[in-house]
Amino acid sequence: MVACARSPRGAAAGMSRVARDLLLSVVAWLPRPSLGQQPYPAHPIRLVVPFAPGGSLDTLARLVGRKLGERLGQPVIVENKPGAGTTIGAAEVAKASPDRYTLLLAPAPFVIAPLMYPGLPYDGARDFTGIALLASSPLVLTVNPAVVPAATAQELIALAKARPGVLTYASPGNGSVPHLATELFKLRTGTDLTHVPYKGAGPAVTDLLAGHVARSQRSGPSSPSCRPRTSIGSWSASACSGRRRSRRPARRSIEMAPR
């Protein structure tokens, strides 16, 4: 979701499911100048991403930012503010002037963080105004085959049970969806995996490819940071969440994770 610091009057939010409609929603939502006011936007807009560069959210922000900048006639500058389960980036936007020049690309941890980090310097409901829903994606369970000889989810479960506490898994950070999803995976399968949190999917993917961590659970194959490496065999995708299989062609069938 794209959000911004809430104005004193609490502007209404538009909602959309696709990037094209998102741009229309954002442009329609932006304030119209009254007589004598300077047209908006009069200078560049900041789009804060609360994760490190290289992940799905970062890529999405840069794609949307470029198109939004073209429509508005002012550049949209993507700024990465990773750390503390997205709360550093969210706090940056919360304390910004509510003038629509600082936006936040808010992932699911934006909602999860208040449950994990008491005493946050902002209130997600009070201090932000939602603008549009940008995208959603499934999770893909991936392993480095050089480290984990498991081609399917069932093989990974059997290996993890045989080596409790030995296998590690990477996530974009504490409280991220991949983190919580893997903890749920551990509970349902009776396995013991060691969590290694990162400041975003980009660094997590780098260490997965290097063999520093055994597995990862992250956004689906539509993610630019995931698809090329899956197709060339640098890692193995063993299961995918979601209600149905992706329509994208794959070099091999990927098992649907049990719900």
Side-chain angles (χ1 to χ4, degrees), residues 106-232:
F110 177 77
V111 179
I112 299 169
L115 304 176
M116 297 189 63
Y117 301 97
L120 289 176
Y122 60 85
D123 183 302
R126 181 194 65 207
D127 298 331
F128 293 85
T129 295
I131 301 172
L133 178 64
L134 175 56
S136 63
S137 71
L139 295 174
V140 176
L141 179 64
T142 57
V143 300
N144 185 327
V147 179
V148 180
T152 67
Q154 294 304 320
E155 290 179 4
L156 174 62
I157 293 170
L159 182 63
K161 287 183 174 180
R163 302 165 62 185
V166 175
L167 298 183
T168 56
Y169 76 92
S171 84
N174 289 316
S176 64
V177 172
H179 173 208
L180 300 184
T182 304
E183 291 301 315
L184 179 61
F185 174 86
K186 289 166 56 178
L187 289 173
R188 290 189 173 180
T189 59
T191 54
D192 182 11
L193 305 168
T194 301
H195 181 215
V196 183
Y198 290 81
K199 290 185 176 181
V205 167
T206 299
D207 271 10
L208 176 67
L209 293 173
H212 299 315
V213 289
R215 65 171 292 281
S216 175
Q217 185 159 296
R218 52 166 285 104
S219 299
S222 59
S223 161
S225 62
C226 174
R227 187 175 61 213
R229 296 177 179 87
T230 303
S231 64
I232 65 175

